[in-house]
């Protein structure tokens, strides 16, 4: 494979400019970013494709004046000839000595912000865990006494008033079930992990769904059979994927004649997140997606989707996706949701299992 083909395969925009800021070459991702083919790009200098006074040109001048490579964060490319409005990080480095030629590698911030947003999800999970511990202690125990008292009173009540006692017991039981759903968040113990074939997990979830809530849906697997096992807890992974598939089926609804749910796996090299406690980056190349063609999630809910009590369902508790986020986080992974080409995509990214696991 030639160097040209290798650069074209890089998912980030790569641009080469000469000493007079003329664009000498650009890969496919750069063509998409600038909204023009490489032949047309060569007809103009780099400043012609940028907003007036762009910090990118200041970065270019700095690298030429001082030498060495430099990374500038949060450069605004929201005006000019760009096809999209966004902030980007740019890595600039000289090509050769005293030539003035530079290579620019552009990293859209949207991608990095999305991948690092898992920290917010983990903070939300921790806050739910603290709440769960409080609920179990302060609410569950008194509820047991209330239920017992209602049951004792029921024997001495007139027949016409017994439904009131039954109502008290029923509502107490409902609250207890809700508290018990919270308790899963308060378990801070490390998950027992073992090698798990994620494709077996997905197949199992599909069988469960097709025999019940998803019997009216069309399921389509699209797996990469070359993927290795991951270090996981099979039961928790089934629980997480089943929650996502059930949400997808409910979003599509039983009356959608063309409702479909796609389960995919893939290897995505180059995806990583920063771990604040250690300051190191962890690679998350193992991708698992649940994709549906339902109506999507309201835009105002998207930034808070994995926080507790956030739901678009009239009868929902808003704990399902928070639980999924906890399971993925416990596996050292990330979960994100986006709307692409009329489909809702829930994407989970996991680390590859090390041999000692």
């Amino acid at each position: 494979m030639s160097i040209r083909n290798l650069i074209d395969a890089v998912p980030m925009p790569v641009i080469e400019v000469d000493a007079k800021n003329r664009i000498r070459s650009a890969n496919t991702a750069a063509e998409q970013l600038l909204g023009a083919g490489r032949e047309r790009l060569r007809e103009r200098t780099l400043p012609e494709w940028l907003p007036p006074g762009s910090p990118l040109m200041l970065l270019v001048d700095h690298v030429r004046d001082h030498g060495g490579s430099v990374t500038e964060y949060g450069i605004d490319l929201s005006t000019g000839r760009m096809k999209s409005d966004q902030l980007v990080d740019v890595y600039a480095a000289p090509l050769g000595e005293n030539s003035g030629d530079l290579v620019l590698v552009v990293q859209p911030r949207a991608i990095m912000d999305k991948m690092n947003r898992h920290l917010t999800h983990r903070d939300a999970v921790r806050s739910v865990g603290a709440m769960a511990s409080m609920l179990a202690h302060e609410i569950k125990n008194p509820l047991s006494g209330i239920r017992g008292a209602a049951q004792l009173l029921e024997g001495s009540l007139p027949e016409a008033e017994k439904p009131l006692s039954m109502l008290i017991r029923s509502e107490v039981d409902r609250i207890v079930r809700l508290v018990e759903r919270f308790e899963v968040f308060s378990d801070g113990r490390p998950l027992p992990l073992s090698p798990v074939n994620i494709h077996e997990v997905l197949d199992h979830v599909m069988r469960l769904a097709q025999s019940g809530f998803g019997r009216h849906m069309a399921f389509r697997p699209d797996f990469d059979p070359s993927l290795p096992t991951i270090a996981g807890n099979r039961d928790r992974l089934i629980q997480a994927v089943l929650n996502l598939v059930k949400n997808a089926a409910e979003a599509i609804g039983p009356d959608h004649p063309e409702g479909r749910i796609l389960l995919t796996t893939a290897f995505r090299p180059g995806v990583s997140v920063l771990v604040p406690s250690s300051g190191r980056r962890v690679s998350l190349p193992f991708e698992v997606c649940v994709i549906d063609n339902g109506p999507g999630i309201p835009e105002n809910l998207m930034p808070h989707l994995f926080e507790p009590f956030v739901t678009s369902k009239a009868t929902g508790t808003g704990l399902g996706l928070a639980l999924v986020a906890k399971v993925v986080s416990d596996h050292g992974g990330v979960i994100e949701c986006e709307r692409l080409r009329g489909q809702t995509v829930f994407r989970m990214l996991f680390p590859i299992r090390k041999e000692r696991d």
Side-chain angles (χ1 to χ4, degrees), residues 311-357:
T311 180
S312 60
K313 301 176 186 176
T315 58
T317 61
L319 295 179
L321 289 178
L323 175 60
V324 173
K326 173 176 168 48
V327 172
V328 175
S329 176
D330 288 344
H331 284 78
V334 173
I335 182 169
E336 280 295 338
C337 176
E338 60 184 336
R339 188 75 175 168
L340 290 176
R341 297 180 293 276
Q343 300 183 115
T344 301
V345 181
F346 280 89
R347 178 178 296 105
M348 294 173 283
L349 296 164
F350 297 100
I352 292 292
R353 181 176 68 90
K354 298 179 182 177
E355 290 301 319
R356 66 173 180 272
D357 296 330

Side-chain angles (χ1 to χ4, degrees), residues 65-272:
D65 292 341
H66 298 87
S69 60
V70 177
T71 300
E72 182 75 18
Y73 298 95
I75 290 179
D76 186 6
L77 298 182
S78 59
T79 60
R81 298 176 183 267
M82 297 296 177
K83 290 291 186 181
S84 58
D85 296 345
Q86 58 184 312
L87 294 176
V88 299
D89 300 338
V90 180
Y91 168 83
L95 289 174
E97 295 183 5
N98 303 320
S99 68
D101 294 356
L102 300 177
V103 63
L104 306 173
V105 181
V106 181
Q107 172 66 72
R109 289 296 296 271
I111 296 175
M112 297 308 300
D113 290 344
K114 183 182 295 183
M115 300 324 308
N116 288 322
R117 200 183 303 156
H118 77 293
L119 300 175
T120 302
H121 302 161
R122 292 183 177 181
D123 288 341
V125 167
R126 283 193 290 268
S127 68
V128 175
M131 186 184 299
S133 300
M134 181 273 293
L135 284 173
H137 183 265
E138 299 294 337
I139 297 180
K140 201 172 178 182
N141 292 338
L143 286 177
S144 177
I146 294 172
R147 192 187 192 284
Q151 193 167 3
L152 286 174
L153 286 173
E154 191 172 324
S156 60
L157 290 175
E159 199 64 32
E161 296 180 8
K162 285 185 178 181
L164 293 176
S165 175
M166 295 170 61
L167 177 63
I168 293 173
R169 288 192 289 117
S170 173
E171 287 300 291
V172 167
D173 290 343
R174 184 179 64 83
I175 297 172
V176 168
R177 286 194 298 270
L178 179 61
V179 173
E180 286 174 347
R181 290 191 66 185
F182 266 106
E183 286 186 301
V184 69
F185 292 99
S186 65
D187 188 355
R189 296 172 297 178
L191 277 179
L193 304 178
S194 59
V196 174
N197 185 327
I198 195 66
H199 298 142
E200 292 179 357
V201 169
L202 298 177
D203 283 334
H204 182 74
V205 169
M206 277 195 295
R207 288 195 298 271
L208 290 175
Q210 288 172 323
S211 63
F213 61 83
R215 58 185 174 274
H216 302 298
M217 303 291 146
F219 284 84
R220 184 161 65 90
D222 184 8
F223 299 157
D224 181 348
S226 67
L227 291 180
T229 58
I230 66 172
N233 183 288
R234 187 175 185 274
D235 291 340
R236 291 292 180 88
L237 288 171
I238 288 174
Q239 180 185 29
V241 177
L242 190 61
N243 270 3
L244 293 178
V245 170
K246 190 171 187 295
N247 281 352
E250 291 176 350
I252 294 172
D255 302 324
H256 195 311
E258 298 181 353
R260 65 181 183 275
I261 296 174
L262 174 63
L263 302 179
T264 73
T265 62
F267 186 75
R268 304 297 187 195
V271 177
S272 64

